[in-house]
Amino acid sequence: MKGLKTVYICTECEYKTAKWMGKCPNCGAWNSFAEDVEEAVPAPTATAPKRVSMVSTGNDNRATGFSDLKIPDYMRQKTGLYELDRVLGGGLVLGSVVLLSGEPGIGKSTLLMQICDVLGSSRRVLYVSGEESGGQLKLRAKRLGVLGTNLFILTETNIENILCEIDRVKPDVVIVDSIQTIYSASVNSTPGSVAQVRETALSFINKAKNDGISILMVGHVNKEGSIAGPKVLEHMVDAVLYFEGERQQAYRVIRAMKNRYGSTNEIGVFEMSDKGLLEVDNPSEMLLAGRPKNISGNCAVCTLEGTRPLIAEIQALVTPTAFPAPRRTTNGIDYNRMCLIIAVLEKRLGLKFYQNDVYLNVIGGLHIDEPASDLSVAMALISSVTNRVIPDDLIAIGELGLAGECRAVANLEQRVKEAARLGFTKAVIPERNIEKRKPEIPGIKLIPIKGIYQTLQLLKEQE
């Protein structure tokens, strides 16, 4: 088409170039260029000045003195799913923009359709779908038992038409599924491109802030697992939620990566069923379900996700290798953290991991990035390489240093209480945590240790 040209735009910093490049010369990101098509804009003249794309707030904004500012009273609306409300910080904030992202088929559309039932009981909800027809949405709502009170469906992808319909319907909540399918006629590029996602998202955000509408947008992910489109999209919205989990498994985890109105450490756990997403009130029991008995290389740990303690199962398998370079594989634990713990065990305890392949796994698809899990990982590795069984009623909590010392962790009493509630009778903890005050928790014995040197002796005593 005449007047159109192909450009490549960096999704991290929006640097433009005429040809594809492996590394962005502006921000240094690798493999970040996405192909886009835009209209060739003529050079500005006296009669035709250069166009500037801006979204006006429509208000005569003036600087305000800091002492004159008032703290807004943000009103929250419950979604009907306690796990989702926990991640959002207590509910959906009026006038906020939330971006929900996840792998295809993970259950994003199902989750949004389910919350329409509760939101529609007291608010007007407009569901904008650019991927499904009205009949498909009606079929899903029937399967999930959604009555559709005060729910309006709009199958449209043009942002100008959507904004006009929002002005007509005057909804309190708008759901956009998905932002990558929405396009603006003023931007000469394909839907889903960097320019289209930026402009359409900016239009929705401007509408939400001016009219006090809560907007939930679905975002696709690319093959690397990050949100498709410009990186600035995550900075523009108020909250970014990731929907995680394996499609072959029934459990799903929703996690806040950014939240201007709440904590970013909270997670929500769901179970996918034929009736939709069901909330999991006790994730620890779910993560420990089916735990093997009297097997080496198995150790439990208590990790904190926001204010919620979770008991997870860490499994390690250490087996002799037939290759010059042993293999290291981890799932749910940072790979570099595992290599660091293995190096500490080799140096301080003399264990020969360099002759073995090492496989580490966290059951249930949970990802643990807390240092308090170091001691549990180390004990699982020691148990597997020495073939000594860790008692099923023992849990390990602590951080390891490079000298092999066991360092104190935060909120130990809360972790141990959760372990006692689930039937654990012994807890290996750092000695520094009880130097000032030893918590009295009935039903569980605390075993303080100073460092990794005591773990081998501890496993011998437990046999």
Side-chain angles (χ1 to χ4, degrees):
M1 183 181 298
K2 187 177 180 180
L4 298 181
K5 65 176 183 178
T6 300
V7 296
Y8 295 88
I9 304 177
C10 176
T11 57
E12 299 290 334
C13 65
E14 300 191 30
Y15 176 81
K16 293 184 181 181
T17 178
K19 62 179 181 179
W20 185 88
M21 304 175 70
K23 180 181 179 180
C24 177
N26 186 44
C27 65
W30 287 91
N31 298 324
S32 61
F33 279 95
E35 184 178 353
D36 197 2
V37 179
E38 65 177 16
E39 185 179 5
V41 180
T45 63
T47 58
K50 184 178 180 179
R51 291 184 303 172
V52 179
S53 177
M54 297 180 61
V55 177
S56 174
T57 59
N59 300 323
D60 186 16
N61 289 330
R62 295 179 182 274
T64 306
F66 183 78
S67 58
D68 298 330
L69 294 176
K70 297 181 180 180
I71 299 177
D73 183 18
Y74 292 111
M75 185 172 61
R76 294 183 183 269
Q77 171 69 28
K78 299 295 184 181
T79 64
L81 296 177
Y82 176 74
E83 295 293 311
L84 179 59
D85 290 336
R86 173 201 292 270
V87 177
L88 289 173
L92 193 61
V93 176
L94 185 69
S96 65
V97 181
V98 179
L99 180 63
L100 177 64
S101 179
E103 295 286 340
I106 204 70
K108 302 184 294 298
S109 300
T110 300
L111 176 69
L112 295 177
M113 182 59 73
Q114 283 185 241
I115 67 176
C116 287
D117 205 20
V118 175
L119 291 175
S121 61
S122 58
R123 301 290 182 90
R124 278 178 167 246
V125 182
L126 176 63
Y127 195 113
V128 181
S129 177
E131 301 177 350
E132 298 177 286
S133 65
Q136 290 175 307
L137 295 174
K138 181 72 172 181
L139 185 64
R140 177 186 290 122
K142 182 179 179 181
R143 176 173 60 86
L144 299 176
V146 176
L147 301 178
T149 307
N150 288 329
L151 176 60
F152 298 85
I153 302 297
L154 175 63
T155 55
E156 179 61 68
T157 57
N158 183 276
I159 184 65
E160 288 80 11
N161 296 339
I162 295 173
L163 295 179
C164 291
E165 197 65 14
I166 291 176
D167 292 334
R168 188 187 69 85
V169 178
K170 300 186 183 304
D172 301 299
V173 181
V174 176
I175 297 174
V176 182
D177 189 7
S178 65
I179 188 61
Q180 278 79 14
T181 61
I182 309 300
Y183 74 95
S184 173
S186 61
V187 179
N188 293 306
S189 59
T190 58
S193 64
V194 173
Q196 287 284 9
V197 172
R198 181 184 63 247
E199 292 297 325
T200 54
L202 197 58
S203 299
F204 280 122
I205 293 172
N206 180 53
K207 194 67 175 176
K209 302 305 179 184
N210 289 341
D211 297 353
I213 301 173
S214 302
I215 297 182
L216 293 94
M217 300 187 300
V218 174
H220 294 169
V221 296
N222 52 29
K223 59 182 179 181
E224 288 82 17
S226 58
I227 300 177
K231 191 69 176 178
V232 71
L233 176 62
E234 300 179 40
H235 297 277
M236 293 161 58
V237 299
D238 297 311
V240 179
L241 308 182
Y242 275 84
F243 213 21
E244 305 171 353
E246 299 291 336
R247 283 182 290 179
Q248 293 79 13
Q249 298 181 356
Y251 296 104
R252 306 285 191 268
V253 175
I254 188 168
R255 187 187 306 271
M257 307 303 294
K258 172 188 175 182
N259 192 354
R260 289 176 180 159
Y261 306 108
S263 173
T264 57
N265 297 321
E266 299 288 353
I267 67 168
V269 184
F270 299 89
E271 181 181 1
M272 179 64 77
S273 68
D274 55 348
K275 298 297 183 182
L277 291 165
L278 304 178
E279 297 178 88
V280 178
D281 298 327
N282 195 342
S284 297
E285 292 184 359
M286 175 267 294
L287 294 172
L288 293 176
R291 186 184 179 195
K293 305 293 183 181
N294 298 321
I295 299 295
S296 62
N298 190 303
C299 187
V301 64
C302 184
T303 180
L304 278 181
E305 294 286 351
T307 59
R308 167 184 285 181
L310 293 179
I311 306 292
E313 176 189 353
I314 297 179
Q315 291 184 340
L317 179 62
V318 182
T319 179
T321 183
F323 302 99
R327 186 174 183 182
R328 304 281 189 262
T329 302
T330 177
N331 182 29
I333 295 286
D334 182 64
Y335 176 82
N336 294 324
R337 194 73 183 175
M338 179 192 69
C339 293
L340 184 147
I341 296 174
I342 290 175
V344 171
L345 297 180
E346 285 184 334
K347 179 69 175 180
R348 306 304 174 188
L349 298 182
L351 300 176
K352 299 179 181 180
F353 286 96
Y354 61 86
Q355 298 177 348
N356 299 280
D357 293 331
V358 178
Y359 304 92
L360 201 64
N361 181 41
V362 180
I363 299 300
L366 190 68
H367 183 82
I368 300 177
D369 55 3
E370 193 182 15
S373 63
D374 291 351
L375 185 58
S376 179
V377 173
M379 291 191 66
L381 291 170
I382 295 172
S383 171
S384 183
V385 74
T386 61
N387 204 28
R388 287 191 172 96
V389 178
I390 298 177
D392 299 326
D393 59 347
L394 185 143
I395 189 171
I397 306 167
E399 178 184 357
L400 291 182
L402 293 181
E405 76 278 14
C406 191
R407 295 180 173 269
V409 298
N411 302 305
L412 178 69
E413 189 171 351
Q414 184 181 2
R415 301 171 194 264
V416 176
K417 285 182 178 179
E418 177 70 8
R421 187 181 69 84
L422 291 177
F424 289 90
T425 60
K426 303 171 188 174
V428 181
I429 62 172
E431 189 177 69
R432 291 188 62 85
N433 271 104
I434 60 174
E435 286 181 350
K436 296 182 179 180
R437 184 182 70 88
K438 184 176 181 180
E440 296 294 335
I441 302 174
I444 190 167
K445 177 184 177 183
L446 301 181
I447 306 175
I449 63 173
K450 291 184 178 180
I452 198 64
Y453 311 98
Q454 298 173 255
T455 54
L456 276 175
Q457 182 63 30
L458 179 63
L459 290 178
K460 292 179 182 179
E461 294 175 357
Q462 300 298 324
E463 287 182 344

